[in-house]
Amino acid sequence: MDTLAMHISNGIIDGPVAAIFAALALAALVFCVLRGRRDLDDRLAPMAGLVAAFIFAVQMLNFPIFTAGVSGHLLGGALAALLVGPWVGALCVAVVLVVQALVFGDGGVAMLGLNITNMAVLGTAAAYLLIALLLRVLPRTPAGLSVTAFVSALVSVVVASQGFVLQYWLGGTTDLGGNLVGLAGTMAGVHVLIGIGEGLITATTVVTVAKVRPDLVYALRALKPATPAPAVPATGGAR
């Protein structure tokens, strides 16, 4: 393979596998619409539009990965999950991917189901699971939020890259000679480096929003901190 891009081009995965993942992506997005409707309010609806526009704009800015000879850009799953939640966040990323494929030719139209599955569904889901865990462990300070955003963004990018490896194993059009482990390792290595860039952008953006309007950060509103167990008096007792 000449490149290791997350935006899968037409012809890299065969038609039947692409069709299966298109159906899976559609089902996932319908589920996100149904669940996301419960979260929509006067804050989340405009925020979703801003998040989608921001992800679309920042994805135009590529940063070089010199050790791999490729460039990376923001995927946006963790950023969207933090700001507007997993359901609406997945929809935001999916809308960006559709516009990129139809208008800019970034990723094949026939491969949209694959790309949406990897970046909008898997990436956002992996990010939010980590966010839910870390925000219950780390302090809700700028430092704690930065670590949460950075780690969840990095991991989400690597998870999305391994989604491609699975898809290639199922229907890749080029014979790798059984070296699927090599492909998985290469994709993971490159996307760890891309994930570092993604993590820095995500952490900077989310912490900036949280400092100005913490009520606009969905994860801080929806994920309540763990409640410590009530202390038992050292002496005496309850009547």
Side-chain angles (χ1 to χ4, degrees):
M1 298 175 64
D2 296 328
T3 63
L4 295 170
M6 276 300 303
H7 290 269
I8 304 171
S9 301
N10 288 334
I12 292 183
I13 308 294
D14 64 30
V17 172
I20 291 171
F21 277 94
L24 290 175
L26 180 60
L29 293 181
V30 169
F31 183 74
C32 287
V33 169
L34 296 176
R35 289 297 302 268
R37 290 174 62 183
R38 303 178 187 176
D39 294 332
L40 285 177
D41 54 25
D42 56 350
R43 288 177 299 186
L44 193 61
M47 193 65 180
L50 291 173
V51 167
F54 180 80
I55 292 173
F56 180 82
V58 177
Q59 280 196 1
M60 297 293 148
L61 304 175
N62 284 22
F63 47 87
I65 307 298
F66 297 108
T67 58
V70 298
S71 62
H73 63 70
L74 182 81
L75 297 186
L79 177 64
L82 279 160
L83 293 179
V84 295
W87 318 114
V88 178
L91 294 172
C92 289
V93 178
V95 168
V96 171
L97 294 174
V98 170
V99 173
Q100 287 180 334
L102 296 179
V103 179
F104 296 96
D106 196 357
V109 175
M111 303 291 113
L112 256 177
L114 301 163
N115 287 322
I116 289 174
T117 298
N118 294 340
M119 290 182 272
V121 179
L122 290 179
T124 305
Y128 197 72
L129 288 173
L130 263 177
I131 292 165
L133 173 63
L134 292 175
L135 283 181
R136 284 176 167 82
V137 176
L138 298 175
R140 298 195 172 201
T141 61
L145 188 58
S146 294
V147 172
T148 298
F150 181 85
V151 172
S152 61
L154 191 157
V155 172
S156 72
V157 172
V158 176
V159 169
S161 75
Q162 297 308 297
F164 167 77
V165 174
L166 171 64
Q167 293 161 353
Y168 202 86
W169 174 65
L170 293 173
T173 56
T174 302
D175 185 11
L176 297 178
N179 192 23
L180 189 68
V181 174
L183 174 62
T186 302
M187 287 291 288
V190 170
H191 285 85
V192 163
L193 299 176
I194 294 174
I196 292 173
E198 170 121 1
L200 293 174
I201 295 171
T202 301
T204 302
T205 304
V206 172
V207 170
T208 300
V209 174
K211 286 182 177 179
V212 180
R213 289 286 303 273
D215 59 302
L216 294 181
V217 180
Y218 176 94
L220 294 179
R221 300 195 314 268
L223 298 172
K224 305 300 182 183
T227 303
V232 178
T235 59
R239 293 183 179 178

